[in-house]
Amino acid sequence: MNPMLLCLSLVSILNFAAGQLSPEEYRQQQLRDFNFQNIAPNDPSRGFQGGRFTGLIPGDGRNPAQMIDSRVEVIASSKRLEMALLKGGIVSCRSAGTPAPTSLTWVRVHPDGATEDIPLRTQSPRSNVRVEPVSQSEIRLDFARIREEDSGRYRCMGFLPQMEFKDEIEIITFQEINFGLTKATQYGRIYTDAKIYCDVDSIPVADVSWEFNGATVNNENLGDKFDIAQDGILVKNLTLEDEGEYLCRAVVLSRNKNERFPIHFIVTIPPTWLREPFLTEGVRGQDITMPCEAGGKPAPDYLWFKGTMGITPNDRYQVLAGGDLRIRGLTAADGGLYRCVARNMAGELSKSAELIVLEPPRIIELQNRTVDIGEDALLVCEATGNPTPTIKWRKINEYKFYNTGSPQGMKKREVGDRAGDSHDVYTPIELQPDGYEDVDDVDVHAGEDGADEDEPAGLTSKNPDDIEVYMMEGRDNALALRVRSAQRVHLSNYTCFAENKAGIDEKNAKIEVRFQPYFGPQAIRVFYTWMITENRGAPVNLTCFPEAFPHPAMTWRRHGAPVADMEPLYKVYGTYGTSNLRVTPQSVNDFGLYMCEAANDKGSSSLEVTLMRAYSPRQAPILSINQIYPDAIDLAMAPPVEDNVLNVTGYRVYWKRQNDQWESARSATFMIDQQDPLDRNGFRLTRVRVEGLEPGTPYEFAGTALNSAGEGTRSTAISRRTSEASAPQPAEVKSRMDSQYPDKYLLRWVVTSNGGSPINKYMIRWRKINFSNTRIQFKTAYGTKPPRPDRVGAAVGQSCNQVLLASVALLSTARLWL
């Protein structure tokens, strides 16, 4: 027990025992002593532990004496309790002893000693500091979110009848080191001053220092480059070398706290043009890309505007990764001024460029014309497009265009009082002898891109005297082609070409000249066929194709009488415009003259044709010997020298042993190949080979010529003896030089002659080539097929028959790709 308290109690007891104090005065003295000890329960000089009282209270006539050991105690590790700002906290106060104080409460003690009641949580749930009873013997002081103004003294109080107990605690607030809104990545523009911010917040205030790429930034190395402030570090005149990792360090020594915040600092570069937007032309309906690309750090973002309206990417408009603007399916409305903006955090730049939507040419007016012979024919071709297309005329199937000029007898000149108020008029001119004036004196045009004196030579030519091509007056997109005094040679299709940067359009218009039928020199007047038997000939078509408009009615006549279908002799195909008469001669009397008549509303004409009889070749072909083998002979055949309307199409060769009859001769047919060579007289030579002959045997050979009519006369026989049996002719290797296999080589060959005896085996020899070793060593194999060696560098083969072994027949170098 505290000595002072013991002393006071003893004094009170002695006075009471001496009769100096009444029982009531004695109780009051004990109460005063109790209150005295609780005035400053935490004062170490008093030696009290909390709000505690221990002592004997005497009884009176009604109350017996009782021993008191009561206390109120704040439960904390220290009477000075630190709490972090913006955090929650709880301090508990408990009563204990016999009896235990009740009616626990908390008050705040202001510096002037005044106290302030703290509300219950149920009474003020939104209060930052509130009291929360736990039980009769425990009550808590609840800090919802510690603020700096919440620091100070707090007193817990409890009561017994005529007694008051109390204990105090001091709340000390502090701020943990934090870096607030400091960004982990920060930027600065090159060649400017930039501040790297570090927002350090702490209580007590922290000391801030910096590191750059692992090195401390201090007064010794600051120089003029860095300037350190409490809220950051200023880097002057940024270069790319200033980019890197910066470390902001905050230290509170009084609390032994050291925190670090890494900052990645990036030096930015404003955008600069790599590809500026420029005037772009696109064709309507097609896709177009407008360029826009800039460099910078970081890579710029791109915005596109048409006029003042921003372009929102959609299915038609796409801003590509590099900045280009892609427009799908151009329309006329897409034309206009576009602006590209390239921007990053260091700056932005913009450039405008125009998009011109080109309109492909489209011919909108072109009609056929029909005139009578001798009348003028006018074709007008009108075309639209952007830019205005160049229009040209030419006759179909001709590659040269007609020159564009003024109408015959008129000269076009431009007149007007001021710029923009000019128009074209035509005035009479004096023509040159050729019907046209000098090109230097005539102002002609065919649209914005019309041909001029710079047009490449060969694309246009001087117009015929009866053709005029000129621009229609008042219509700069219409070009006229006029044919003066149209004749049948003008009956044709004429092609109008319209061309500009966007493309080409072309259409045909036909000038139809009405005239009576006409059979020109190109009409076939002689036809041939032949008799297969005495009563049947080969059918032939007599053709009749007149020039006429309108198309004429067609009639065939024989000996003045109309020819009608009378099969098998006659069959008529077509009676309007063109006609064919199929004739199948039944006798020699069906050859002769036939008449084809054509008539329209402009007149009529007739064509006399002759059907002549053709014959098989009347002369024998020219036959000669080229090469003799033991089992074959090569012949050369040339057609007979005769005037025959039917060409020789092939030959039939006959051969027999010299002493045999021709009735037992064998034969073979050979057709003429148009690739066969010509001899010095211009005749086509056909080379044939007669095979299956016996070695050392005399043979006779003869030939006939063939044409569509049949087989001709047999030639005079020529005799030759086949050579004696011999070794096979050298083989010719047909294999490729490089093998497609890593471990084998496929050898192919042909043998021109077996020497008169069947080949019964082949001998293949091969060796591996070693260019540093001149000694040749061969491996040899026999068989009906080439062997398959593991590795083959070169191959040599021999053919063997029943007579002898041939000399070296195969020699080939091959390479295996290993």
Side-chain angles (χ1 to χ4, degrees), residues 528-530 532 536-541 568-569 581-585 611:
Y528 296 90
T529 189
W530 57 92
I532 300 174
R536 184 173 65 88
V540 63
N541 283 329
L569 179 58
L581 174 63
R582 188 184 69 187
V583 180
T584 305
L611 178 60

Side-chain angles (χ1 to χ4, degrees), residues 147-287:
R147 300 170 301 183
E148 190 171 358
E149 57 266 27
D150 294 330
S151 61
R153 291 167 53 202
Y154 291 85
R155 179 181 296 165
C156 178
M157 302 176 64
F159 301 92
L160 285 175
Q162 299 182 4
M163 292 187 181
E164 180 181 283
F165 298 84
K166 48 191 169 185
D167 195 9
E168 291 186 1
I169 189 169
E170 183 178 0
I171 302 299
I172 301 172
T173 60
F174 69 92
Q175 174 68 58
E176 292 281 8
I177 297 175
N178 70 81
F179 295 90
L181 301 178
T182 303
K183 296 181 179 179
T185 302
Q186 299 186 35
Y187 303 87
R189 181 173 174 172
I190 196 168
Y191 307 132
T192 64
D193 296 348
K195 193 169 191 178
I196 305 174
Y197 287 92
C198 184
D199 182 16
V200 180
D201 188 11
S202 72
I203 296 175
V205 176
D207 294 329
V208 179
S209 61
W210 288 85
E211 293 181 8
F212 173 49
N213 288 341
T216 301
V217 178
N218 52 40
N219 293 332
E220 296 180 359
N221 57 22
L222 283 177
D224 296 330
K225 188 65 177 177
F226 300 99
D227 188 1
I228 295 179
Q230 182 64 27
D231 60 346
I233 182 171
L234 180 68
V235 185
K236 302 177 183 178
N237 191 23
L238 286 176
T239 65
L240 292 177
E241 295 179 353
D242 298 322
E243 185 174 277
E245 299 296 328
Y246 287 79
L247 187 65
C248 175
R249 185 171 60 188
V251 176
V252 178
L253 291 177
S254 62
R255 301 191 66 250
N256 300 319
K257 297 294 183 178
N258 180 13
E259 300 291 342
R260 303 182 178 198
F261 191 92
I263 300 173
H264 181 59
F265 184 66
I266 298 175
V267 177
T268 63
I269 302 175
T272 55
W273 287 120
L274 300 179
R275 288 186 301 119
E276 297 184 24
F278 55 80
L279 175 66
T280 304
E281 295 179 342
V283 179
R284 179 181 57 82
Q286 298 182 5
D287 298 346

Side-chain angles (χ1 to χ4, degrees), residues 469-482:
V469 177
Y470 56 89
M471 300 300 299
M472 296 294 291
E473 184 174 2
R475 299 164 63 186
D476 61 356
N477 63 336
L479 186 68
L481 181 147
R482 185 173 71 178

Side-chain angles (χ1 to χ4, degrees), residues 273 275-280 290-293 304 338-340 350-354:
W273 287 120
R275 288 186 301 119
E276 297 184 24
F278 55 80
L279 175 66
T280 304
M290 296 190 70
C292 180
E293 185 180 4
W304 277 91
Y338 288 76
R339 181 166 62 95
C340 175
S350 66
K351 183 69 179 291
S352 297
E354 186 176 5

Side-chain angles (χ1 to χ4, degrees), residues 387-407:
T388 302
T390 299
I391 306 176
K392 299 179 183 180
W393 278 102
R394 74 181 181 190
K395 196 172 185 179
I396 197 168
N397 297 328
E398 293 183 359
Y399 71 94
K400 289 187 177 181
F401 293 95
Y402 294 126
N403 282 319
T404 301
S406 303

Side-chain angles (χ1 to χ4, degrees), residues 49-110:
Q49 298 295 322
R52 181 174 183 177
F53 172 77
T54 301
L56 177 66
I57 297 179
D60 55 17
R62 291 171 297 178
N63 297 307
Q66 55 180 323
M67 189 69 182
I68 294 179
D69 184 9
S70 302
R71 63 183 179 276
V72 171
E73 183 179 7
V74 174
I75 307 302
S77 60
S78 171
K79 295 302 181 179
R80 292 173 58 86
L81 183 63
E82 291 185 345
M83 287 191 177
L85 290 176
L86 304 181
K87 305 292 184 178
I90 288 181
V91 179
S92 183
C93 176
R94 296 173 183 171
S95 64
T98 304
T102 60
S103 302
L104 297 178
T105 186
W106 279 96
V107 296
R108 181 171 183 177
V109 182
H110 293 290

